[in-house]
C-alpha cells in the first residue's frame, strides 16, 4: 500500500500543478469572466440528467449526457443506471473495469435485452452481459431502460424483462480534439483521446470521429488488476435531402484478474481473502503427480485455507461491434431503414488452474506427454480455460408509414450467430508463466495429434422476428397495439472431447418461438398530467448449454466411444413473462415526476447455476412466479444552482411453485421470495452548479435480499454514497473548456456484500447440502471500498 499511496499523492500533485497552470494562463491571457462559464449539461438538465420528458405507453427511464459526463470516465453502463427506479446494480470495483451485476424488478441482466445503437450484445449462447466491454462513456449520449416491457422492434429472443439501450454520440459538426487524463488510487490510470473531423464536403456532407482509451487499475483486494484498450469510430453522412447513413465501430481488448467470491463466514473471518500469491510448483521430471500442489479449496461451511494462484484466474477477452444505419424518406408518408451489424467476440475466463492426467486410453487415445519426460503416466498442472468465439451478423429492416391518425411501424430482424465453445489447455512453469493465456497457441494434444479439449461444441443460433406496431392518435387518447413473432433455432454440434457427457460426436436442433402481443394506452389528462398503461408478453429462450452433455455410457475403442446412448435434456422450457403496467406522469415547470404500478407473471422462470471458478452454467426452471411493485421517480430543473432527483422502488417477488430437486422430491419454495430481489430500494442525487463549479452528492439504498430459493440465507441492507465535483477553467490559448473533476465512490467506506450472479441468473437452492443439485453455501463479491480519482480534460 505504501507504493500505491506514494503514486496517488504524486498523481494529485501532477494534476494540481497542471490545473494551476491552466488557471494562471486563463487569468493572464483572457479577460473572460470565468464566473459565467458553466459545466456542460448542468445548466438546464432535468433531474441532474437522470430524467427526460416521456410520453410512451410503458415505464422507461433515461440517463442523458448531462449525467454521464459527471461520472468517472471509466464507468460502465451498470454504474450509470444505478439511481434509476427498479434498478439494483453493482460493480465489482469502483472503476467499472471488472464488470458487475444488474437486476431490474428482479430480472437479471441475462433476462433483459441489451443493444448498442440498435444491435444486440447479449451473449448469443446464454444471453449474458459484460458491461465493461462495450463503449467509452465519453462517447455515450444516452443510456435508456424499459423496466419490464420489451420494445416490440427490439432484436432479442432472450428478453423477458425489458431492454437496455446504449446510444453513441454523433460526430461533432466542428473540428475538435479532446484529451482526458485520469489518475486515482490503486494505480488507476486512464488516458482518452477523441478527434472529430467536423463537417466535410458540400454535395454529400459527412463527419466522423475516432477515439482511443487506455485504462488500468489494481484490484482492491489481492494481487492483479485490469488492463483495457478501447477504440470507437463514428461516421455520419447526408447522402441526399431524404437519405442519411451512419456507422459505428467499437473495438475492445482487455485482460482482467478475477476477484475471489467469499462466503459470509469467510468475509467475517477475513474480508480481504483473495487468490493466492504463491505459484504452484511442478515436481522434478520423473513420475510426476502434482494433484496436491495444484489443488485449492472450494467454498463451504468453513473458510478456505488454500486458494488458486491469482495469475491463473484471468479473464482475457476482445470484441468488436460494427453497426450501421441507412434511412431514406421515400415520401411524406413512408420512411425505410436498414440496420445491419456484425459482432465478433473471443475470450476465456474463470480460474484456469487445474491438473490433467496423461494416458493411453479415452477420447482420441488419451492425453499425450505434457511435460516432455517421455512418460504418459503423469498428472501435470496446466492452464485450461473455457474459450468462446462468436461471429454474429444480423440486420433489422423497418418501414414507418403515416396515414391519417395512424403511425405504423413494421419490420423484420434476422441474425445468425456462429458460437464456438472449446476448452483447450496449455503449459505452465514454476515461475507462473503461461504458454498462451489467450489459449490460441502452444496447446496440449491428444495422442492422435488433435488438440486436447475439455469441451468442444459449436452452436449456430438463428434468431428472427417479424413485428408491427400501430400508434393511433385519438386526440388526448393514444392507443398502441403491437404484435411480434420471435424465435430462435439452435443447431448444436458436439465434437468428442474429454468433458463429462461430451465423449462422442452428436448433433441436435431445438427451436423456441412464440407470438408476443402487446397493447398500450396513454391519456393526456391536461397539459401537466398523463396516465398510461400496457400489457406486454415477453419470452426468453433457454441457453444453448442445455443441449450439451447428453452422451451417456459407452466404451472407448481406439479413442472412439461406442455403445453410448444420448440422454436429452428436454425438460427446460422457454421462460415467458406477462408484464402489466399502469402509471401517472406529472410535468410541471419546476418538477417532473412519475409513478408506475406493475405486475409480472412468470411461467417456467429460468435460473442458472454459475460457478465463477469454472465459468460453467446449468439452466433450470424454477416454476411459476409473480413479481409486483411500485416505482417512483421525481426530478427538478435547476433553481439558484440547485437541482434534485429521487427514486423509490417497492418490489414483491414470490415463487408460486415448489422446486423439484429430483424425480421424487421437491423443495418447499412456494411462497418464498425470489433471490436477490430487495423489497425496498431508494436513490437520490443533489447537485449544485454555479458558474464554473459543480458538486453532486448521490446515495443508493438497497434493502435486505435473500440469496437462496429456500430463503435460508440473506444479505443485509446497505447504503452507499458517491461524490462528484468539477471546476471548469476559462478557455485560453490552445485550451478550450479545460475541466478538472473529482470522483469519490462509496464516500463513507461502507462494508457490504454483493450477490454473485456471475454473468447469469445464478441461484442457490438452499444452504442445506443434503438437498441435492443446486444446494450449497452462496458466495458473494465484496463491495468495493472508498475510491477516489481525478481527471483533467480539455478540448483543442
Amino acid at each position: 500500500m505504501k507504493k500505491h499511496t506514494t503514486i496517488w499523492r504524486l498523481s494529485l500533485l501532477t494534476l494540481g500543478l497542471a490545473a494551476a497552470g491552466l488557471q494562471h494562463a486563463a487569468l493572464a491571457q483572457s479577460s473572460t469572466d470565468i464566473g459565467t462559464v458553466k459545466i456542460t449539461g448542468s445548466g438546464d438538465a432535468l433531474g441532474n440528467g437522470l430524467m427526460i420528458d416521456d410520453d410512451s405507453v410503458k415505464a422507461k427511464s433515461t440517463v442523458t449526457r448531462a449525467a454521464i459526463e459527471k461520472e468517472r470516465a471509466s464507468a460502465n453502463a451498470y454504474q450509470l443506471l444505478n439511481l434509476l427506479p427498479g434498478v439494483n446494480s453493482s460493480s465489482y470495483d469502483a472503476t467499472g473495469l471488472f464488470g458487475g451485476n444488474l437486476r431490474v424488478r428482479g430480472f437479471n441482466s441475462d433476462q433483459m435485452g441489451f443493444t448498442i445503437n440498435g444491435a444486440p450484445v447479449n451473449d448469443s449462447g446464454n444471453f449474458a452481459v459484460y458491461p465493461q466491454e462495450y463503449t467509452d462513456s465519453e462517447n455515450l449520449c444516452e443510456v435508456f431502460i424499459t423496466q419490464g416491457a420489451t420494445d416490440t422492434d427490439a432484436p432479442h429472443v432472450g428478453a423477458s424483462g425489458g431492454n437496455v439501450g446504449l446510444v453513441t454520440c454523433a460526430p461533432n459538426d466542428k473540428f475538435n480534439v479532446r484529451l482526458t487524463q485520469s489518475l486515482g488510487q490503486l494505480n488507476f490510470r486512464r488516458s482518452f483521446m477523441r478527434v472529430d473531423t467536423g463537417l466535410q464536403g458540400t454535395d454529400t456532407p459527412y463527419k466522423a470521429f475516432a477515439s482511443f482509451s487506455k485504462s488500468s487499475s489494481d484490484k482492491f483486494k489481492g494481487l492483479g488488476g485490469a488492463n483495457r484498450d478501447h477504440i470507437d469510430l463514428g461516421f455520419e453522412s447526408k447522402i441526399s435531402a431524404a437519405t442519411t447513413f451512419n456507422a459505428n465501430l467499437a473495438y475492445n481488448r482487455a485482460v482482467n484478474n478475477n476477484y475471489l467470491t467469499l462466503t459470509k463466514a469467510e468475509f467475517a473471518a477475513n474480508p480481504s481473502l483473495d487468490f493466492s500469491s504463491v505459484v504452484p510448483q511442478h515436481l522434478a521430471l520423473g513420475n510426476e503427480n502434482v494433484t496436491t500442489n495444484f489443488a485449492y479449496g472450494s467454498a463451504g461451511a468453513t473458510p478456505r485455507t488454500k486458494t488458486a494462484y491469482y495469475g491463473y484466474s484471468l479473464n482475457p477477452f476482445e470484441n468488436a461491434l460494427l453497426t450501421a444505419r441507412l434511412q431514406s424518406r421515400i415520401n411524406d408518408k413512408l420512411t425505410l431503414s436498414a440496420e445491419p451489424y456484425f459482432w465478433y467476440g473471443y475470450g476465456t475466463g474463470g480460474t484456469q488452474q487445474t491438473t490433467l492426467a496423461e494416458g493411453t486410453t479415452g477420447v482420441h487415445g488419451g492425453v499425450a506427454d505434457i511435460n516432455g519426460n517421455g512418460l504418459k503416466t503423469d498428472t501435470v498442472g496446466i492452464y485450461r480455460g473455457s474459450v468462446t468465439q462468436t461471429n454474429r451478423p444480423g440486420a433489422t429492416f423497418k418501414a414507418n408509414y403515416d396515414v391519417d391518425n395512424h403511425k405504423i411501424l413494421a419490420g423484420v430482424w434476422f441474425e445468425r450467430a456462429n458460437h464456438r465453445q472449446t476448452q483447450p489447455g496449455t503449459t505452465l512453469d514454476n515461475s507462473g508463466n503461461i504458454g498462451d493465456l489467450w489459449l490460441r497457441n502452444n496447446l496440449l494434444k491428444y495422442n492422435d495429434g488433435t488438440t486436447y479439449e475439455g469441451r468442444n461444441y459449436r452452436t449456430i443460433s438463428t434468431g428472427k422476428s417479424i413485428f408491427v406496431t400501430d400508434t393511433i392518435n385519438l386526440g388526448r387518447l393514444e392507443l398502441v397495439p403491437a404484435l411480434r413473432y420471435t424465435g430462435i433455432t439452435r443447431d448444436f454440434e458436439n465434437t468428442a472431447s474429454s468433458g463429462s457427457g461430451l465423449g462422442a460426436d452428436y448433433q441436435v436442433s431445438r427451436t423456441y418461438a412464440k407470438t408476443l402481443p402487446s397493447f398500450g394506452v396513454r391519456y393526456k389528462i391536461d397539459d401537466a398530467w398523463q396516465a398510461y398503461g400496457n400489457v406486454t408478453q415477453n419470452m426468453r429462450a433457454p441457453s444453448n448449454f442445455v443441449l450439451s452433455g447428453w452422451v451417456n455410457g459407452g466404451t472407448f475403442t481406439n479413442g472412439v466411444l461406442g455403445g453410448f446412448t444420448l440422454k436429452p435434456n428436454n425438460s427446460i422450457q422457454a421462460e415467458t413473462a406477462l408484464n402489466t403496467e399502469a402509471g401517472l406522469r406529472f410535468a410541471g415547470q419546476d418538477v417532473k415526476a412519475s409513478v408506475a404500478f406493475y405486475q409480472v407473471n412468470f411461467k417456467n422462470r429460468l435460473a442458472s447455476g454459475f460457478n465463477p471458478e469454472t465459468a460453467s452454467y446449468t439452466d433450470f426452471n424454477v416454476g411459476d412466479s409473480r413479481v409486483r411493485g411500485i416505482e417512483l421517480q421525481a426530478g427538478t430543473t435547476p433553481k439558484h444552482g440547485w437541482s434534485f432527483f429521487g427514486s423509490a422502488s417497492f418490489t414483491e417477488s414470490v415463487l408460486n411453485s415448489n422446486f423439484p430437486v429430483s424425480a421424487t422430491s421437491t423443495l418447499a419454495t412456494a411462497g418464498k421470495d425470489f433471490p436477490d430481489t430487495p423489497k425496498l430500494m431508494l436513490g437520490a442525487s443533489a447537485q449544485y452548479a454555479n458558474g464554473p463549479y459543480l458538486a453532486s452528492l448521490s446515495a443508493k439504498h438497497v434493502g435486505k435480499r435473500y440469496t437462496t430459493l429456500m430463503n435460508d440465507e440473506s444479505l443485509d441492507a446497505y447504503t452507499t454514497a458517491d461524490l462528484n465535483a468539477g471546476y471548469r477553467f476559462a478557455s485560453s490559448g490552445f485550451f478550450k473548456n479545460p475541466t478538472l473533476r473529482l470522483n469519490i465512490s462509496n464516500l463513507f467506506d461502507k462494508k457490504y456484500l454483493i450477490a454473485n450472479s456471475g454473468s447469469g441468473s445464478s441461484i442457490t437452492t438452499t444452504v442445506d447440502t443434503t438437498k441435492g443439485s443446486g444446494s450449497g453455501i452462496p458466495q458473494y463479491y465484496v463491495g468495493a471500498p472508498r475510491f477516489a480519482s481525478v481527471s483533467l480534460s480539455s478540448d483543442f
Side-chain angles (χ1 to χ4, degrees), residues 514-529:
K514 191 170 181 62
T515 299
L516 304 171
S518 67
F519 183 80
V521 59
R522 181 176 66 91
Y523 183 74
K524 187 175 181 181
I525 301 169
D526 56 31
D527 289 342
W529 288 92

Side-chain angles (χ1 to χ4, degrees), residues 43-47 588-592 635-640 642-644:
D44 57 358
L46 173 63
Q589 183 176 355
D590 300 322
V591 177
K592 299 184 189 295
T636 69
T637 54
K639 285 288 186 181
H640 308 294
W642 289 96
S643 57
F644 302 91

Side-chain angles (χ1 to χ4, degrees), residues 107 111 160 514 537-542 572-579 600-607 620-627 654-657:
F107 293 97
Q111 294 171 298
S160 55
K514 191 170 181 62
Q537 190 170 42
N538 302 322
M539 181 194 83
R540 180 192 187 277
I572 308 302
Q573 304 298 313
E575 170 185 89
T576 59
L578 184 66
N579 182 81
V600 183
N601 292 315
F602 282 97
K603 186 174 180 60
N604 296 319
R605 187 167 187 175
L606 288 169
F620 51 88
N621 289 120
V622 296
D624 298 345
S625 69
R626 184 202 66 226
V627 184
V654 177
L655 291 161
N656 294 335
S657 309

Side-chain angles (χ1 to χ4, degrees), residues 31-53:
S31 59
T32 303
D33 179 4
I34 63 172
T36 64
V37 179
K38 292 182 177 180
I39 295 287
T40 302
S42 66
D44 57 358
L46 173 63
N48 303 336
L50 296 169
M51 286 187 72
I52 62 171
D53 289 324

Side-chain angles (χ1 to χ4, degrees), residues 58 111-113 146 148-163 396 409-413 463-470 481-488 513-519 536-541 575 577:
K58 63 184 69 173
Q111 294 171 298
M112 304 188 71
T146 60
T150 303
D151 291 333
T152 301
D153 61 342
H156 303 301
V157 289
S160 55
N163 42 246
T396 302
L409 167 65
V412 297
W413 163 70
K464 57 185 178 295
S465 287
I466 303 172
F467 54 87
V468 61
T469 299
D470 186 8
L483 191 66
R484 174 167 64 116
Y485 173 81
T486 190
I488 185 172
K514 191 170 181 62
T515 299
L516 304 171
S518 67
F519 183 80
T536 304
Q537 190 170 42
N538 302 322
M539 181 194 83
R540 180 192 187 277
E575 170 185 89

Side-chain angles (χ1 to χ4, degrees), residues 472-534:
I472 308 169
N473 190 332
L474 300 174
R476 290 182 179 273
L477 179 66
E478 184 177 84
L479 305 177
V480 187
L483 191 66
R484 174 167 64 116
Y485 173 81
T486 190
I488 185 172
T489 297
R490 296 198 189 276
D491 295 309
F492 181 90
E493 180 182 1
N494 182 72
T495 300
S497 68
S498 297
S500 176
L502 301 173
D505 296 352
Y506 71 90
Q507 296 82 39
V508 64
S509 181
R510 290 290 184 272
T511 297
Y512 310 93
K514 191 170 181 62
T515 299
L516 304 171
S518 67
F519 183 80
V521 59
R522 181 176 66 91
Y523 183 74
K524 187 175 181 181
I525 301 169
D526 56 31
D527 289 342
W529 288 92
Q530 62 175 266
Y532 71 92
N534 77 85

Side-chain angles (χ1 to χ4, degrees), residues 506-782:
Y506 71 90
Q507 296 82 39
V508 64
S509 181
R510 290 290 184 272
T511 297
Y512 310 93
K514 191 170 181 62
T515 299
L516 304 171
S518 67
F519 183 80
V521 59
R522 181 176 66 91
Y523 183 74
K524 187 175 181 181
I525 301 169
D526 56 31
D527 289 342
W529 288 92
Q530 62 175 266
Y532 71 92
N534 77 85
V535 179
T536 304
Q537 190 170 42
N538 302 322
M539 181 194 83
R540 180 192 187 277
S543 304
N544 71 314
F545 48 73
V546 303
L547 305 176
S548 70
W550 287 15
V551 177
N552 183 51
T555 304
F556 285 101
T557 303
N558 298 323
V560 177
L561 187 67
F564 65 91
T565 59
L566 292 181
K567 190 175 182 181
N569 181 2
N570 292 322
S571 62
I572 308 302
Q573 304 298 313
E575 170 185 89
T576 59
L578 184 66
N579 182 81
T580 305
E581 293 177 333
L584 282 171
R585 298 189 183 102
F586 172 75
Q589 183 176 355
D590 300 322
V591 177
K592 299 184 189 295
S594 68
V595 57
F597 304 86
Y598 68 89
Q599 177 164 310
V600 183
N601 292 315
F602 282 97
K603 186 174 180 60
N604 296 319
R605 187 167 187 175
L606 288 169
S608 299
F610 177 80
N611 184 335
E613 295 184 349
T614 62
S616 61
Y617 300 80
T618 301
D619 257 3
F620 51 88
N621 289 120
V622 296
D624 298 345
S625 69
R626 184 202 66 226
V627 184
R628 60 187 176 191
I630 305 172
E631 294 167 352
L632 304 97
Q633 63 177 342
T636 69
T637 54
K639 285 288 186 181
H640 308 294
W642 289 96
S643 57
F644 302 91
F645 172 82
S647 69
S649 307
F650 307 90
T651 306
E652 180 186 74
S653 182
V654 177
L655 291 161
N656 294 335
S657 309
N658 289 331
F659 176 70
V661 293
S662 70
T664 57
S665 63
T666 61
L667 289 176
T669 55
K672 304 292 186 181
D673 287 356
F674 197 83
D676 198 22
T677 308
K679 292 185 181 296
L680 174 65
M681 292 188 294
L682 302 171
S685 172
Q687 176 179 291
Y688 178 74
N690 184 12
Y693 300 97
L694 180 140
S696 175
L697 181 66
S698 61
K700 182 65 177 280
H701 173 81
V702 178
K704 174 184 175 181
R705 57 262 189 243
Y706 293 102
T707 53
T708 67
L709 290 177
M710 284 296 291
N711 293 178
D712 48 12
E713 184 156 309
S714 64
L715 291 176
D716 294 335
Y718 69 92
T719 302
T720 57
D722 299 333
L723 174 67
N724 299 319
Y727 182 85
R728 174 158 293 173
F729 303 92
S731 299
S732 175
F734 292 107
F735 300 101
K736 294 186 296 182
N737 304 317
T739 304
L740 183 67
R741 297 188 187 278
L742 170 68
N743 302 99
I744 304 178
S745 304
N746 195 1
L747 183 62
F748 303 109
D749 205 21
K750 176 66 177 178
K751 312 298 182 187
Y752 63 101
L753 292 171
I754 303 167
N756 172 26
S757 293
S759 54
S761 303
S762 174
I763 298 298
T764 301
T765 56
T766 174
V767 297
D768 185 351
T769 56
T770 67
K771 298 298 184 181
S773 177
S775 63
I777 309 300
Q779 300 173 60
Y780 309 100
Y781 283 95
V782 176

